[in-house]
Amino acid sequence: MAYETGTVNSAVDLLAVIQSFAQNNGWTLNGSLLQKDDAHIQLTANSDDELQITGLRNGLDSDPDACPRYSRIAFDSDTWPTNAIYHIAAFNNPDTLWVTMVSGVTDHFHLGFGALEKTGNWSGGQWFHAQHSSNNANSTCYSLVDGGSNSFWGGAASRECGLFWSQKDGRSWDSNNHISKTSYLHCELRGYIWESTYSANDKSNLNVVHGPTIFTPIHRNNPNSFNGQTVLTPFNLFLQNTDGHYMAIGHVGHVRFVKLTNYNPGDILAVGSERWMVFPWHRKDSDYPDGSAPGYTGGATSTGLLGIAVRYGGP
């Protein structure tokens, strides 16, 4: 594994950091396309305030090979933060690159891509993620500890900024176009090429999910009341079949979900011979452990105690 930290002042700066770091760790850059084995990731900075990421099957940027949606780190009403600290790490087996950007100590923004550690033999496996959805940009993101259907609805903010966090996309209770998903997977198991897409006419489409709907008891009962430690939960992905049941299709390597009850952003945890650096998904708030949104919970916007642990190879 490789690790680097520094500061950036724009989306263009962060793009240059990611491209350089990726090339130093086995990825090939061709224009805006980063490629390693079967993973083809397109990164573009359309302005100083917006970095976009999407995936291309076989490197082709036309339908049906290109993912119809993209994710991004973006700032609509604010300018890109000055001297934002970044942490970037690259891993093999499976190929994974993850970057976390920290603004003003409290606010965290994540972007990652790579190849899934697949369960079984199926076509696909590359994934990508960034903090905001393609339909909006807002520096205030929030989510619930247990994910699933009990989601906040409000304004244009990305409600589910965690990696493969929410199963659904859109507001199923009305006709408004509310695109919230931020994670996408090349998965050709049900006749599609890219799972986690959105249809304006069918908001009930079945998408790739990870464990919040499966592993809710783990998140709800962390940390351990005996020693205060938390379980680092793998990013297991499940695909929902038309009969309503789930099948395991793989997991995202080198990152874990974590409850930040007894941890601070940037803490390094030792688990046996491994070390993990932990961050909130956006902003930690112990007063609202399940996450909060103004007007819905009464608290400031936060992701509560929901966090991510990234395998750490730094000093």
Side-chain angles (χ1 to χ4, degrees), residues 228-307:
Q229 300 300 304
T230 186
V231 174
L232 302 186
T233 311
F235 282 79
N236 294 305
L237 299 190
F238 298 83
L239 189 64
Q240 187 174 0
N241 292 321
T242 54
D243 62 4
H245 294 102
Y246 296 97
M247 59 180 175
I249 59 173
H251 73 272
V252 180
H254 314 292
V255 291
R256 301 286 189 269
F257 271 112
V258 64
K259 282 284 287 294
L260 299 173
T261 308
N262 297 318
Y263 308 126
N264 293 314
D267 279 356
I268 298 172
L269 313 183
V271 182
S273 60
E274 298 177 340
R275 292 187 298 163
W276 301 80
M277 182 175 282
V278 301
F279 304 101
W281 276 109
H282 179 55
R283 184 183 300 145
K284 178 181 175 180
D285 187 348
S286 298
D287 292 335
Y288 295 90
D290 290 344
S292 60
Y296 285 80
T297 58
T301 302
S302 80
T303 46
L305 296 177
L306 182 66

Side-chain angles (χ1 to χ4, degrees), residues 155-197:
S158 299
R159 58 179 176 83
E160 301 288 4
C161 58
L163 175 66
F164 289 108
W165 185 243
S166 177
Q167 171 190 359
K168 297 299 182 182
D169 188 15
R171 299 182 353 176
S172 58
W173 47 272
D174 66 14
S175 60
N176 289 332
N177 184 336
H178 188 90
I179 298 174
S180 299
K181 299 193 74 64
T182 58
S183 309
Y184 302 91
L185 175 69
H186 173 206
C187 176
E188 300 184 42
L189 279 174
R190 295 190 303 113
Y192 302 104
I193 292 177
W194 290 94
E195 289 288 349
S196 296
T197 58

Side-chain angles (χ1 to χ4, degrees), residues 1-288:
M1 77 182 74
Y3 168 81
E4 177 183 297
T5 187
T7 61
V8 292
N9 291 291
S10 69
V12 174
D13 287 353
L14 186 58
L15 174 61
V17 166
I18 295 171
Q19 290 177 333
S20 176
F21 187 81
Q23 289 181 91
N24 290 336
N25 288 279
W27 292 76
T28 300
L29 178 65
N30 183 11
S32 61
L33 184 67
L34 282 169
Q35 183 265 330
K36 190 174 183 183
D37 296 328
D38 293 331
H40 299 80
I41 300 298
Q42 189 171 56
L43 285 162
T44 55
N46 295 329
S47 70
D48 284 344
D49 298 328
E50 179 182 275
L51 176 60
Q52 290 187 4
I53 180 172
T54 193
L56 308 176
R57 182 179 70 159
N58 301 322
L60 303 177
D61 60 359
S62 57
D63 183 69
D65 296 285
C67 183
R69 297 260 297 276
Y70 61 85
S71 299
R72 59 189 181 177
I73 297 177
F75 295 83
D76 273 355
S77 57
D78 303 315
T79 58
W80 193 275
T82 302
N83 294 324
I85 299 171
Y86 68 84
H87 302 270
I88 188 169
F91 311 92
N92 299 317
N93 302 318
D95 294 325
T96 306
L97 190 145
W98 191 266
V99 57
T100 295
M101 188 181 79
V102 187
S103 170
V105 181
T106 61
D107 294 351
H108 298 72
F109 302 89
H110 306 278
L111 181 148
F113 54 87
L116 199 69
E117 185 70 26
K118 294 191 289 186
T119 300
N121 184 18
W122 47 272
S123 297
Q126 68 161 313
W127 60 270
F128 68 91
H129 169 85
Q131 195 84 353
H132 299 109
S133 74
S134 57
N135 195 46
N136 60 67
N138 193 312
S139 61
T140 53
C141 307
Y142 46 88
S143 187
L144 293 177
V145 164
D146 62 352
S149 60
N150 298 319
S151 305
F152 292 125
W153 307 100
S158 299
R159 58 179 176 83
E160 301 288 4
C161 58
L163 175 66
F164 289 108
W165 185 243
S166 177
Q167 171 190 359
K168 297 299 182 182
D169 188 15
R171 299 182 353 176
S172 58
W173 47 272
D174 66 14
S175 60
N176 289 332
N177 184 336
H178 188 90
I179 298 174
S180 299
K181 299 193 74 64
T182 58
S183 309
Y184 302 91
L185 175 69
H186 173 206
C187 176
E188 300 184 42
L189 279 174
R190 295 190 303 113
Y192 302 104
I193 292 177
W194 290 94
E195 289 288 349
S196 296
T197 58
Y198 171 84
S199 169
N201 298 318
D202 181 12
K203 299 182 179 67
S204 64
N205 60 323
L206 303 177
N207 292 329
V208 169
V209 296
H210 111 282
T213 50
I214 308 292
F215 299 131
T216 292
I218 295 177
H219 297 292
R220 283 296 183 192
N221 291 292
N222 269 329
N224 187 312
S225 59
F226 177 72
N227 59 14
Q229 300 300 304
T230 186
V231 174
L232 302 186
T233 311
F235 282 79
N236 294 305
L237 299 190
F238 298 83
L239 189 64
Q240 187 174 0
N241 292 321
T242 54
D243 62 4
H245 294 102
Y246 296 97
M247 59 180 175
I249 59 173
H251 73 272
V252 180
H254 314 292
V255 291
R256 301 286 189 269
F257 271 112
V258 64
K259 282 284 287 294
L260 299 173
T261 308
N262 297 318
Y263 308 126
N264 293 314
D267 279 356
I268 298 172
L269 313 183
V271 182
S273 60
E274 298 177 340
R275 292 187 298 163
W276 301 80
M277 182 175 282
V278 301
F279 304 101
W281 276 109
H282 179 55
R283 184 183 300 145
K284 178 181 175 180
D285 187 348
S286 298
D287 292 335
Y288 295 90

